[in-house]
Amino acid sequence: MKIFCGYTMEINELNDQRARRREELNYFESLGINPYPYEFRKTHSAKEILSNFRDENPELYSNVSIAGRIMTFRRMGKATFCDIQDESGRIQVYFKKNDLGDSYDLLKYLDIGDIIGIEGFVFRTRMGEITVHTQKFIILCKSLTPIPVPKIEEDESGNKIIHDQFSDKELRYRHRYIDLIVNPDVRDVFRKRAKIISYIRNYFDNRGWLEVETPILQPIYGGATARPFITHHNALDIDLYLRIADELYLKRLIVGGFEGVYEISKNFRNEGMDRMHNPEFTALEIYVAYKDYFWVMELVEDLLNSLVKYLFNNEIIVYNNIEINFSKPFARRKMFDLFKEYTGEDLKDKTEEELLKIGKKLGLDFPESPSRAKILDEIFSEIVQPNLIQPTFVIDYPIEMSPLAKKHRSEQGLVERFELFINGFEVANAFSELNDPRDQRARFEEQAKLRAKGDEEAMVLDEDFLYALEVGMPPTGGLGIGIDRLVMLLTNQNSIRDVILFPQMKPENL
RNA sequence: GACCCUGUAGCUCAGGGGUAGAGCACCUGACUUUUAAUCAGGGGGUCGCAGGUUCGAUUCCUGCCAGGGUCACCA
């Protein structure tokens, strides 16, 4: 038993800071103070005050109200400083016993992490810091559990040194809200992510293309080669798949007469997780009628070039200490030319057997009886891809690797497809879309053979999609962009988990 | 799925077969312009979990769980 500011309470030896905060909360309630009130009228953000306050006319800031989370305390007896953090940043707040009277004593029962509202006037301290002098304050939310408290020091040149940074990745991902509170850089990444997505959306809308929503729950999954998540619809008593791509539905809309449709949405793939893969990820797909892949290349070039200029005021960005230049035009390289350059071999007319031999000579491992597509893919991603640092369109893929792309207009055995590589990873994938229903059926049948051979990722034949193609789809250019990877690139992040707010984690208690 | 590394206080970390350590955070006291505030004192731990070896395990061994990384798989 202990006397606590005239209010008697039990403090159990076994309890920790959380118990103490609950007692503080009870104390507030015993005084008739609601620690969880309903609203607060803010007049300014921290940033507005810090960037607009002028010493010449402080009267413009003689009556401000701000609100935010208490991040630091510097208590000095009858005066207290603390830093309040709102969405815009941090600002110092000053409390003085003379001005606040009895309510000053309530400060004792506030903690780092509590959210408070402040009314007062702005001034500059002796040390030169713009500060809100509190005339009235109100608790807006009592925080019942302590959060990490990194200390931020500024050296002479204004660089921030962070002590005791909240850095445990597991805790940061599991409790992203804490990560967001205490690591300002994390907030910036997700602000930038939102900017990127809204820029792309505006770019498309301004060209008159229609944003649509297609099914996430699909009876037949298609549009990519990947293993799906399976779920069950009880009323229909059928299995449904979470989509692995939007492609086949968006093409149906081109058949329906829309001439430009796009979707920015989550796809789901039931595969491994690593720094480049999360089971749910955000993809952009767009299809525009009467266009081919050359046109799409120019679209991608212009979209990314203008996006980078919008974000950085520059065409050159730095990722992982490497300069990446987004000025137009991007390099365009035929896939088999790249093979020749990096393997010294012309792989174009080689048989499966010859390719396998070359691949093994290059030191690569292959699964049991790989298809021609798999071998080429392996050689490409291991030998060629890591070299593609500057934005590079790789064009004209072998037909076996691309069952939804249209046959090349002049080259036997190839399709009109490109992928854009930046910093060694794929950012975009596009085709002149296959719209000949006879050819599409033949390609699906090829996929079915692979599936029969045990390739779980081979595509499934979609009769309704073929029916749509029979109705007739105009020539169409299509494009997919992995938004998460693009965001990684543009925010200089190394792991997809750092650009997804709540990345997939194993449950803690298994 | 394989291998490597990690798991100790709310956070960041040190330690090491014999009563568990630091800084910050927290509590008490001093301090009315401080800013990594300062000064004095104090509390706080299932050392990831389970088993084994041992007189004794947080430390050594085995298994498991979680995370990070590399690879495999994969756009």
Side-chain angles (χ1 to χ4, degrees):
Chain A
M1 185 86 85
K2 187 174 173 188
I3 307 299
F4 195 78
C5 186
Y7 174 77
T8 310
M9 63 181 69
E10 294 278 343
I11 294 189
N12 188 322
E13 298 285 342
L14 296 173
N15 281 345
D16 54 8
Q17 296 182 41
R18 299 174 69 189
R20 214 203 77 254
R21 288 179 180 225
R22 278 176 171 73
E23 299 299 349
E24 289 171 347
L25 180 137
N26 290 340
Y27 175 64
F28 279 124
E29 288 188 324
S30 77
L31 295 178
I33 296 170
N34 179 1
Y36 299 106
Y38 293 87
E39 51 86 37
F40 183 75
R41 193 185 59 90
K42 284 177 65 164
T43 60
H44 292 77
S45 71
K47 193 177 168 192
E48 279 162 2
I49 293 173
L50 291 177
S51 44
N52 298 328
F53 177 78
R54 294 288 173 274
D55 296 304
E56 305 83 75
N57 35 15
E59 65 280 0
L60 295 176
Y61 289 87
S62 60
N63 187 14
V64 300
S65 60
I66 61 168
R69 194 180 295 273
I70 299 171
M71 299 305 288
T72 65
F73 263 117
R74 290 177 291 285
R75 302 178 195 261
M76 306 181 320
K78 298 192 177 64
T80 295
F81 288 91
C82 65
D83 293 338
I84 299 289
Q85 175 171 289
D86 65 19
E87 194 186 333
S88 73
R90 287 190 188 189
I91 188 166
Q92 178 168 265
V93 170
Y94 178 54
F95 301 88
K96 194 174 169 186
K97 170 91 173 167
N98 284 5
D99 295 1
L100 293 165
D102 289 346
S103 72
Y104 183 86
D105 299 331
L106 293 175
L107 282 180
K108 240 169 131 180
Y109 310 101
L110 292 180
D111 291 290
I112 289 174
D114 290 350
I115 297 169
I116 60 173
I118 302 284
E119 279 178 52
F121 61 87
V122 182
F123 74 112
R124 191 182 288 273
T125 66
R126 212 182 280 160
M127 299 299 287
E129 179 144 352
I130 295 169
T131 301
V132 178
H133 187 125
T134 305
Q135 290 166 311
K136 210 168 137 191
F137 69 93
I138 177 176
I139 180 154
L140 297 174
C141 175
K142 183 71 192 162
S143 168
L144 291 183
T145 196
I147 54 171
V149 263
K151 294 254 179 169
I152 302 168
E153 183 186 10
E154 257 179 55
D155 66 13
E156 288 108 34
S157 37
N159 295 322
K160 283 189 175 147
I161 306 164
I162 300 177
H163 303 269
D164 299 330
Q165 184 153 31
F166 180 54
S167 58
D168 183 309
K169 286 206 171 197
E170 179 176 1
L171 291 176
R172 287 183 46 217
Y173 296 144
R174 288 197 194 280
H175 305 297
R176 179 70 88 183
Y177 38 89
I178 296 175
D179 194 25
L180 289 165
I181 292 168
V182 303
N183 290 326
D185 293 350
V186 176
R187 290 199 294 273
D188 288 341
V189 167
F190 290 101
R191 283 199 190 98
K192 208 164 191 182
R193 182 184 171 112
K195 257 177 123 167
I196 290 166
I197 291 171
S198 76
Y199 181 90
I200 294 172
R201 186 169 269 134
N202 283 333
Y203 184 101
F204 291 163
D205 289 345
N206 289 340
R207 282 159 181 75
W209 300 324
L210 189 70
E211 181 170 13
V212 296
E213 294 172 280
T214 64
I216 291 172
L217 293 173
Q218 303 181 347
I220 298 169
Y221 59 96
T225 51
R227 291 191 313 213
F229 286 93
I230 304 171
T231 186
H232 190 80
H233 190 288
N234 290 339
L236 294 176
D237 193 23
I238 52 168
D239 282 341
L240 291 170
Y241 304 93
L242 270 57
R243 70 169 160 218
I244 58 172
D246 310 340
E247 177 151 355
L248 302 187
Y249 282 93
L250 292 175
K251 284 179 178 173
R252 284 173 170 95
L253 296 175
I254 298 292
V255 171
F258 292 124
E259 296 185 7
V261 289
Y262 76 94
E263 183 162 14
I264 297 172
S265 62
K266 287 280 181 73
N267 289 341
F268 307 84
R269 298 189 185 176
N270 206 340
E271 282 161 0
M273 294 158 58
D274 59 31
R275 47 177 283 270
M276 301 301 289
H277 299 86
N278 193 65
E280 58 180 289
F281 62 98
T282 302
L284 154 72
E285 289 194 35
I286 176 163
Y287 295 83
V288 180
Y290 310 111
K291 306 297 186 189
D292 64 7
Y293 76 144
F294 291 114
W295 180 87
V296 179
M297 261 183 260
E298 282 172 31
L299 171 73
V300 172
E301 231 163 45
D302 186 65
L303 174 66
L304 294 187
N305 175 272
S306 64
L307 171 60
V308 165
K309 281 193 283 202
Y310 165 69
L311 292 174
F312 296 92
N313 270 322
N314 198 331
E315 294 183 319
I316 297 171
I317 69 165
V318 175
Y319 181 81
N320 257 347
N321 299 318
I322 299 167
E323 285 198 353
I324 296 176
N325 188 335
F326 282 86
S327 53
K328 295 194 274 189
F330 301 167
R332 298 184 185 192
R333 302 293 310 278
K334 291 185 174 177
M335 182 179 233
F336 282 95
D337 291 350
L338 287 168
F339 275 132
K340 210 177 288 177
E341 182 175 336
Y342 289 100
T343 69
E345 304 260 9
D346 189 347
L347 303 186
K348 189 144 174 229
D349 299 314
K350 295 279 192 288
T351 63
E352 222 168 87
E353 219 166 292
E354 290 166 326
L355 286 174
L356 194 57
K357 223 173 109 189
I358 292 166
K360 286 189 171 155
K361 209 173 78 194
L362 292 164
L364 303 177
D365 293 325
F366 294 95
E368 205 73 1
S369 62
S371 63
R372 194 180 136 85
K374 272 251 187 298
I375 303 169
L376 288 170
D377 190 29
E378 181 73 12
I379 296 175
F380 186 81
S381 48
E382 291 300 313
I383 307 293
V384 179
Q385 199 174 317
N387 295 294
L388 305 177
I389 303 302
Q390 297 304 317
T392 304
F393 290 119
V394 176
I395 64 176
D396 297 348
Y397 281 61
I399 191 164
E400 302 90 333
M401 292 171 72
S402 319
L404 300 168
K406 202 166 185 166
K407 276 181 183 147
H408 198 281
R409 63 194 76 184
S410 58
E411 305 240 23
Q412 194 70 33
L414 300 183
V415 291
E416 295 200 351
R417 172 182 182 186
F418 74 80
E419 291 188 300
L420 175 64
F421 289 89
I422 303 174
N423 195 56
F425 56 79
E426 179 211 342
V427 170
N429 180 23
F431 324 135
S432 296
E433 299 294 341
L434 175 53
N435 64 342
D436 178 339
R438 302 162 304 170
D439 190 6
Q440 185 65 78
R441 182 175 291 277
R443 306 277 195 96
F444 276 141
E445 280 163 2
E446 279 303 310
Q447 291 289 310
K449 281 184 202 158
L450 292 178
R451 176 164 285 272
K453 278 204 256 170
D455 183 348
E456 283 185 76
E457 281 140 19
M459 286 187 195
V460 182
L461 189 144
D462 184 334
E463 279 293 351
D464 182 73
F465 175 65
L466 288 170
Y467 187 71
L469 290 189
E470 287 192 16
V471 171
M473 183 173 83
T476 297
L479 165 70
I481 290 182
I483 294 291
D484 308 284
R485 290 178 185 184
L486 181 65
V487 174
M488 283 171 66
L489 198 61
L490 298 178
T491 56
N492 199 16
Q493 298 299 314
N494 268 310
S495 167
I496 198 167
R497 296 186 155 196
D498 291 321
V499 300
I500 292 175
L501 279 166
F502 301 100
Q504 195 63 48
M505 302 286 279
K506 278 198 195 177
E508 259 177 305
N509 305 311
L510 226 98

